[in-house]
Amino acid sequence: MILFWHRRDRRTTDNRGLAAAVDADEGPVVPVYIFDPAVTEQMGERKRAFVECTVDALRRRYHELGRELVVRTGPAADVLTDLSDQYDVDRIVSNDCTDAARQAQTDAVEAALEVPLESHVDSVLVDPASLEPSYPTYSQFAADWKTHTKAPPASEPTPDALADITDTESIPTTATDIELPAAGYDAASDRLESFCASGIAHYRETRDDLARAVAEPTQAVSRLSPYLAVGAIGIREVWQRVIDVLETVDGAERRNVEKYADELTWREHNYHLLSYTPTLETENYDDPPNEIAWRTDADDFAAWKRGETGYPLVDAGMRQLEREGYIHNRPRQVVASFLTKHLLIDWRRGAAHFRERLVDHDPAVNAGNWQWIASTGTDSVDVRIFDPVAQLAKYDADATFVREYVPELADPSIPAERIVEWPTLSSERRQHLAPEYPAPIVDRNGAYERAQRVFERALGKRN
Ligand SMILES: Cc1cc2nc3c(=O)[nH]c(=O)nc-3n(C[C@H](O)[C@H](O)[C@H](O)COP(=O)(O)OP(=O)(O)OC[C@H]3O[C@@H](n4cnc5c(N)ncnc54)[C@H](O)[C@@H]3O)c2cc1C
């Protein structure tokens, strides 16, 4: 008998490992999900709660098929050893996982099991093993990646391919301080459909429009990240849907849809990086010749986490994170740049905070993006520093996004231009306009120039 171990792939549709287990035609397959503390303890409680809801939806899907998902809590090596005996298992089939916690889990399982563990490439469109180990730039990665054929979505198994068993162990429930998105494959698929029906045709124009992100949060961008992060929907299914739309449009609309496909390519790039660089989550990918003189200022870090830096776009982004467990990509870049450049705080501390608070935390995408922003990753620019004032002027000039998340600045009598210029106003002016909102914790130009100096020294470009 084959036991199929659901890991990050919490769905029955477009699941390559599950489809392979069924196609092997070696008798009915037993599907299992394990809440292993070695992995769940690496998740913030919001993501853990979302994972639990997703597994609950997965179990309900198996029930709709008239079948059961075996659920266990405990070290995967012990659980799989027990289940192998209980069901007289010949082999265990699963899908690829490249993050450090799951790599260690795979090692422990392989050491403990007497039956083979087989793994399939499921989390990406192109197997990293079929690509070069590294590329000088993202563009070169994307150019090569595009030439590779993408597999179509895998079908959902029919009930007769699955074992007819009973199991009643309950799914753990973690309390959370926010309202989570609706969980599971159906919710993910509805979101994909609704975005592909209208949002995607304007994506390039709306993806950085922060007022639009407030007014139409799931049309300006897709908000698929929580579902992709927990594997509620397969990447081949998302890609196929995007290609279907691409075939029906041309001109400006086509460029919009292509931009969305590009973002999925960035995701592939991050997974490729992690698969060849297992230390991506903890060590600089591109170590500069000299050490970066990170600061360890506890007050600055605390103000950043609370969204009280006195930089409106940074604070709005950090408060969106607190309120929703999500940050729009534009402020996500700005808050990360502000932490690593203006405050000179190590990217690992920011990445750990994101891991703690994001529902959509994804080890490869989080680490890859933090390193890109911190200039220790694959950015082709030596030292990139986002100016939080210019970014606000460009992407939220009427301060709609800021007012949504920062109540101290919500009063319509405060002109949007003053909000944009806030860090450059005199303290008297700030006191007069919004006495409750914090003063900037660092000087705009001083912090920018300090970051430039520190990174140029690290790169050996100045003494
Ligand atoms: C510092 C930092 C940390 C990040 N951490 C995460 C994380 O933990 N999990 C996560 O899913 N995304 C992360 N991102 C990437 C990006 O911000 C989110 O994927 C995006 O905002 C999610 O919203 P969406 O689904 O509406 O995206 P859309 O704009 O609709 O994009 C669709 C999908 O494309 C992929 N994508 C989009 N932007 C990127 C990107 N820059 N890199 C890789 N893939 C991308 C995602 O899978 C996303 O769901 C991070 C970005 C930064 C700058």
Side-chain angles (χ1 to χ4, degrees), residues 222-239:
S222 69
R223 300 283 288 247
L224 269 181
S225 54
Y227 299 106
L228 286 169
V230 302
I233 193 162
I235 191 65
R236 286 155 302 280
E237 184 171 347
V238 175
W239 184 257

Side-chain angles (χ1 to χ4, degrees), residues 203 222-225 263 270 326 329 332 360 362 366 369:
Y203 177 74
S222 69
R223 300 283 288 247
L224 269 181
S225 54
E263 294 310 310
N270 290 141
Y326 171 88
N329 184 59
R332 228 185 266 222
D360 72 13
D362 177 309
N366 193 46
N369 274 280

Side-chain angles (χ1 to χ4, degrees), residues 26 38 45 63 114 228 243 247 250 266 283 292 304 339 354 356 378 391 402 429 454:
E26 292 172 23
E45 76 188 16
H63 289 172
E114 284 176 9
L228 286 169
I243 297 304
E247 279 166 5
D250 49 26
W266 273 102
E283 287 171 29
I292 302 168
W304 177 81
L339 184 77
F354 271 22
E356 205 48 44
T378 58
Q391 292 278 313
V402 166
R429 195 97 177 89
V454 164

Side-chain angles (χ1 to χ4, degrees), residues 9-31:
D9 48 304
R10 300 171 179 102
R11 72 195 116 80
T12 51
T13 301
D14 190 22
N15 185 319
R16 293 196 76 197
L18 180 58
V22 165
D23 289 349
D25 209 10
E26 292 172 23
V29 171
V30 179

